[in-house]
Amino acid sequence: MRLVIARCSVDYAGRLTAHLPSAPRLILVKADGSVSIHADDRAYKPLNWMSPPCTLKEGTGEDAGVWTVVNKAGEKLIITMEEILHDSSHELGVDPGLIKDGVEAHLQELLADRIETLGEGYTLIRREYMTAIGPVDILCRDSDGGTVAVEIKRRGEIDGVEQLTRYLELLNRDPHLAPVRGVFAAQEIKPQARVLATDRGINCHILDYDALRGIEDDKLRLF
């Protein structure tokens, strides 16, 4: 990545035209070829940019200080440098991607360790119980010894209820497991998903991520 801080003006010529008058700005040139111009506000959103694929040409001679960025549609971003205050390049390498706290796999692991969260007397059979159409997140037994299939989502929507319904149809064909009922567990369950789940005899359960991790709620409690 190349970082350039410069006093510059910027002109865009394409389906429309736009002009940024002279001011100090940050210019990012990324390895994918994209170029974006930023001010010291607006959070992450650039003032103007050119998405890849595009090419950057730095002018020479009479055009020294003029950068022309052209995309495949022929649109141009013309950056006229008046004064360069900083110019550096850095090799960032391949990014490992964002690892989110509280993703479904972690919720599954936490709930399996604290299966009694679903109710007193619950016991774990196994995580990732395989079926012909994919693994059920958690298979467990309730206090009466009945089999329960649990589908876990961060945000519970209709698609998740449909997925659990398909699992239940298959699991209930196994005489060693049947009857199998379902629990749809999520940190948040959309009203439409709750209605569909209830209509199909599937219980809904809201997961408290902090409670699963053993973090006490610091709010005052009445009891």
Side-chain angles (χ1 to χ4, degrees):
M1 178 182 292
R2 185 178 178 186
L3 308 176
V4 178
I5 299 175
R7 179 174 293 277
C8 62
S9 60
V10 183
D11 292 279
Y12 171 81
R15 289 166 291 181
L16 49 81
T17 59
H19 174 72
L20 292 173
S22 176
R25 297 188 175 95
L26 168 65
I27 303 165
L28 299 181
V29 183
K30 294 188 177 181
D32 62 4
S34 63
V35 178
S36 56
I37 296 97
H38 299 259
D40 198 12
D41 62 4
R42 299 164 58 97
Y44 60 88
K45 189 175 181 180
L47 297 166
N48 214 328
W49 68 94
M50 191 70 80
S51 300
C54 57
T55 57
L56 166 62
K57 180 180 178 181
E58 298 184 41
T60 58
E62 293 183 357
D63 293 327
V66 177
W67 290 14
T68 304
V69 187
V70 184
N71 66 12
K72 63 179 181 180
E75 298 168 316
K76 294 182 180 181
L77 192 64
I78 301 170
I79 307 170
T80 303
M81 305 288 189
E82 298 171 16
E83 180 184 9
I84 294 179
L85 307 173
H86 175 85
D87 188 348
S88 64
S89 296
H90 307 271
E91 182 61 50
L92 301 185
V94 178
D95 191 89
L98 177 65
I99 300 174
K100 295 183 179 179
D101 191 22
V103 294
E104 291 167 15
H106 195 201
L107 285 169
Q108 180 194 119
E109 179 183 355
L110 290 169
L111 184 57
D113 287 341
R114 297 165 177 79
I115 198 65
E116 68 281 357
T117 301
L118 296 177
E120 187 177 351
Y122 272 66
T123 57
L124 178 69
I125 296 176
R126 67 169 298 169
R127 291 171 52 196
E128 299 286 331
Y129 186 90
M130 187 57 65
T131 74
I133 58 172
V136 177
D137 287 332
I138 289 178
L139 199 67
C140 58
R141 295 195 186 280
D142 61 21
S143 57
D144 297 323
T147 309
V148 181
V150 185
E151 181 64 25
I152 299 171
K153 300 293 184 186
R154 296 183 69 214
R155 177 178 297 171
E157 300 184 356
I158 287 177
D159 287 349
V161 178
E162 295 284 6
Q163 183 180 2
L164 179 54
T165 300
R166 293 191 293 270
Y167 288 146
L168 290 171
E169 182 180 350
L170 284 175
L171 292 168
N172 274 300
R173 296 177 188 175
D174 186 339
H176 297 96
L177 297 175
V180 184
R181 63 182 181 88
V183 171
F184 190 49
Q187 290 178 282
E188 172 193 359
I189 298 178
K190 296 294 185 180
Q192 300 92 330
R194 185 180 290 275
V195 169
L196 181 61
T198 301
D199 182 68
R200 295 183 177 179
I202 295 171
N203 292 336
C204 292
H205 185 89
I206 298 296
L207 296 174
D208 185 329
Y209 183 52
D210 286 341
L212 286 173
R213 291 191 297 166
I215 299 176
E216 292 293 335
D217 190 346
D218 60 2
K219 295 178 181 178
L220 293 176
R221 299 178 185 268
L222 293 178
F223 51 87

